[in-house]
Structures are given as structure tokens and as C-alpha cells.
Amino acid sequence: MKHTITLLTALLFAPLAVSQAAETKGPNILIVINDDQSWLECSAYGNSSVQTPAFDRVAKAGALFTRGYCSAPSCAPARAALLTGRNFWELEQGAFIQAWLPARFATLPERLEAAGYHGGYTGKGWGPGVKEPTGKRADPAGKAWNSVRIKSPSEGISNVDYTANFTQFLDAKPQNKPFYFWAGLFEPHHPHAPDGHLKIGVGLEAVKIPGFLPDTPGVRRARGDYLHEVQHADRTLGTLLKLLEERGELHNTLVIVTADNGSPIPRAKANVYDWGVHVPLAMMWPARALAGRTVSDFVGFPDLAPTILEAAGLPVPPDMSGRSVLKTLLSTSSDRVDPARDFTVNGVEWHGNLPPIDIAARMIRDDRFQYIVNYSSTPRGATNERARQPEDRYAANAEKLDVLPLLAAHPERPELQPFIQLIMAPRPREELYDCVADPDQLQNLADRPEFAEVKAKLRARLETYQRQTRDPRITGDMAIYEQTLKFVQVRKAAGYADTDAHKPKAPKKGPEPK
């Protein structure tokens, strides 16, 4: 009898719940997420080689977060963390690029659309990967709006017309509904136009080269080609903001701008060093958030879903490991607003590497130090004897080749040995860096006695957080990871021959992962 009454009550109130959802009037949500961009490549942070005025506009109109971190330096796991409000290692198969995100992990668009939001995405959503095997979810990123294409895009630029697709999405929005939209820009991901460096507005001598890369003309040219796409992505952001402004929607839109992982260079993307996991992050909400603030709180991708849910007036599920930063965003304070946000934990499992290479690692970062634990002692890159070239070709190759081809062509060149060690050599079990004194993380302090206490404290804090979030690397529950690793390695060896349903077929951005 009690069960019958409960069921009847639920049926009676179901139409009311649907009606209330349809009348939801929370803020609009726009997430703009670039593909492969470090925080240092946005001019608002003061270190970029080129200007990014649209990103800077968002930062000035709201809050610039100086400690934004992506959970994993690999696109699919990082995007999964953002969509679910969980650390990537909590997502089973979702911890791996080229696998899938299990349907039991509800996503942000699913939660918002159930509450009455008009939702969708353009460009790159979640992925790359395969559809969830149960068939319960079409795409973790929601409904795709990718039908409008650019007829003749510049070389290296996606032919997805992000702004036109956003326009169609807005045209289709019911009048009384708020919207949620994800603009996943393929830029500045490889490939890059070989003449892009000629269009960035500065000479190659002004392009900044991280200390872990050889400073050669070829490397500078490659960085310039990449920066051209950083500028393209920023211009796209500008057109999206302009569209909202013209429609009178910008005032009550929470805009979040970031990137899925760091730059596509050695010791950055697919690595847990700062260049791989420290990403740009700016938020604006003109209707509620004070402009012109700089915030040093550590904010990770798992924190963004609960932030958006709270902004929308929706409950934050208790199983989300991320914590909302809405109070920080709406605060009038700057610098460290929430004292508890004084560290971040990130990591990686796999990014296209085949045996014997294993890149699995975890890291913890506070305001000064980063501690890393590596779960293998394998080399980080394979030598290719066929790529070797005569030493008398070095000068010509240094003029034109990017980092990895140059190292492969001249593996015994004396001036390249430090970079070969930094990029290709096996990593020690533990690494420790003073990121204030050594921002490019060149000097491992893990074995220095004077830093033993710092290392021990960070190790303990990392392991505590891993236990709290049931990281398989600390619990030992590795069965799903081991099965998924075999699955993605087979896919890699087969050249990802199956159709990637999460990436439009038309854009010419090259195979993933790199």
C-alpha cells in the first residue's frame, strides 16, 4: 500500500516537475574551450608572445584565474572531468583518450537540459573516443550543431563555422528558456599552416621559447605557426561574444573560457608539468560578477560543473568531487579568495603511447612546488634509426625542423643532449620542482636533502587526496584500467580505423592523439 501511494504521488507531481523545468530562468551558459593551449599563451597573464584581446576582454569584464588546471593533459579525459565534475581517474574508461565515457556518469548538459535548458555544442565536444557501448548516450557533449561549414578555410583551420552554428542554435532556442552552449574550438591543435608565423604580427625573434626546447629557427617557426592558430581561436571567441552582445544576451550569460590541456610541444601536452596541465581560465557574468578581478585560487576542471549547476540554481550532486567556485566568482576580493584552494592534483594514464612507453603519472601542485610520481621507468620517446641524418645536415635542419624531428635526425649532437634527456629519457619515480625559481621545471629537486621535508609533505597530501577520490593508482583496483589500456592500444595500433562519432568528419585537423 505504501509503495502504491508513493507511486501515485510521483505520477501526480511529475507534470508539475516538467512544467517547472520548462520555466527555468537561470543564467545562460557559454563554455569556450580551445584545443591545446597553455595559460602562458594568453596575453592577460603577461607572458604571451602574441595578443589575445578577446580572452583579455573576458578576464577584464570578470575574473582572471591564474591557477586553472585541467585534470589531465589529454583532451578526452580532461573534457570528461569538466563534463562530469569528477577527476579523470574517477571515470573508469573515461580516464583514457580513445575509449568511452560510461553512461552512468551523468554529464553537465544532461543535467541542465533536464532542468529546462536549451543545450548544444559546436566544433569538438567530448573525445576523441568511441560511443558508450550500452548505447544509452549518443554523445557526452550533447546535441551537435556543426552543419554550417566554411567553404575554403585557411590551411590548418577547421571548416566548422562556430559562430554561424551558434547563431542557428540561438535561433532554435525557445523564447523562455536559458541556454547552455559549448564552443569546442579545434584550434590551435595540429596541423598548423607552414606560413602561419608570417601572420602573427611579430617577428620570430619575439617568440618565446620554453627552456626545455632547443632555441633554433625551426623551433621558433613552428611555435609561430602554432601562435597563429592561438590568434585565430581568440578571434573566434570575439565573434561569439559579439553575437551575444548584439542579441542582448551577454549581460546574463556566464562565460567560461579555457583550454583542454597545454601546448602540443614536448614536456607539455601529455605531460603533467605545468606546461601540460596549467590552462587559461577566465569567467565573466556581467549581471552578477564584479569586473577586473584576478584570483589565485586553484580551480580544476572538476570544479566547473558544480559551479555552473549552482549558478543555475540547481543542486550539486554529492558524488561530484569538484567544488563550486561560484562564491569566489561573485566575491569582491582578489588573489586567494578561498584559503582552502591552495593546491591541485592532476595526472595522466595514456595518450597514444605503445609499449614499452608508459607515461602514467600523478602530480600535486601548490603555490610554489610541484611533486610528481611516475608509475613507470620507461623511456618517454622511441629512437628511430631511419630518421638519422648526416651531421653536415644539422645547420640546414635546425633552420626548418621542429623539436622532435630535429632530435630524431641528430640524436648525438652535443647541444641537443640536454633536450634529449629532458624529453626522451626515462623519468625517475619522484620529481620535485620549485616552480617559482624554476618555472620551466628543468631542475629536479627530489633527491636533494634540503627538500626532503617538502617532498614528504606533498607526497602525503597527494596520497590522501587519491584515497579520498579512490584513485585506482592508490587503491590498487586496476582491472578496468588494464582492460581499457589494452582496448585503446589495439585501437592505436589499428590506426583508429573505426569512425570517431564525436568529431566531425569534414574538418582537416589531423589524427588524434598526437
Side-chain angles (χ1 to χ4, degrees), residues 71-74 77 88-89 95-96 268 270-273 277 345-351 353 357-364 370-378 380 427-431 433 462 466 471-474 478 481:
S71 189
S74 175
F88 84 95
W89 59 77
F96 292 76
N271 289 263
V272 296
Y273 304 114
V277 292
V345 175
N346 281 233
V348 67
E349 281 298 318
W350 184 82
H351 194 87
N353 44 285
I357 298 172
D358 183 347
I359 66 171
R362 297 289 185 272
M363 77 80 163
I364 184 169
Q370 184 187 55
Y371 168 78
I372 298 170
V373 56
N374 296 301
Y375 296 112
S376 81
S377 58
T378 68
R380 292 307 174 99
R427 307 282 164 84
R429 175 70 178 185
E430 296 181 302
E431 298 176 70
Y433 297 94
L462 169 62
Q466 287 180 282
D471 184 348
R473 286 290 176 177
I474 203 77
M478 292 289 291
Y481 273 20

Side-chain angles (χ1 to χ4, degrees), residues 26-148:
N28 302 313
I29 309 295
L30 173 63
I31 299 174
V32 181
I33 182 167
N34 294 354
D35 200 345
D36 295 0
Q37 185 174 341
S38 163
W39 70 297
L40 290 169
E41 286 140 354
C42 288
S43 51
Y45 293 106
N47 292 291
S48 177
S49 303
V50 296
Q51 296 299 303
T52 54
F55 179 88
D56 296 0
R57 175 189 175 184
V58 175
K60 291 174 183 176
L64 175 68
F65 290 83
T66 63
R67 302 291 194 197
Y69 283 81
C70 62
S71 189
S74 175
C75 50
R79 290 164 186 255
L82 195 162
L83 287 167
T84 62
R86 291 167 169 257
N87 297 294
F88 84 95
W89 59 77
E90 299 178 87
L91 299 174
E92 298 176 352
Q93 293 87 358
F96 292 76
I97 189 173
Q98 295 293 353
W100 65 89
L101 180 59
R104 74 182 191 88
F105 299 114
T107 64
L108 181 62
E110 290 168 345
R111 296 183 188 279
L112 289 172
E113 288 169 23
Y117 270 74
H118 174 59
Y121 80 92
T122 190
K124 180 175 179 177
W126 170 85
V130 299
K131 283 190 175 181
E132 208 274 341
T134 67
K136 293 180 179 179
R137 172 187 285 148
D139 192 313
K143 179 183 177 181
W145 293 76
N146 281 324
S147 63
V148 186

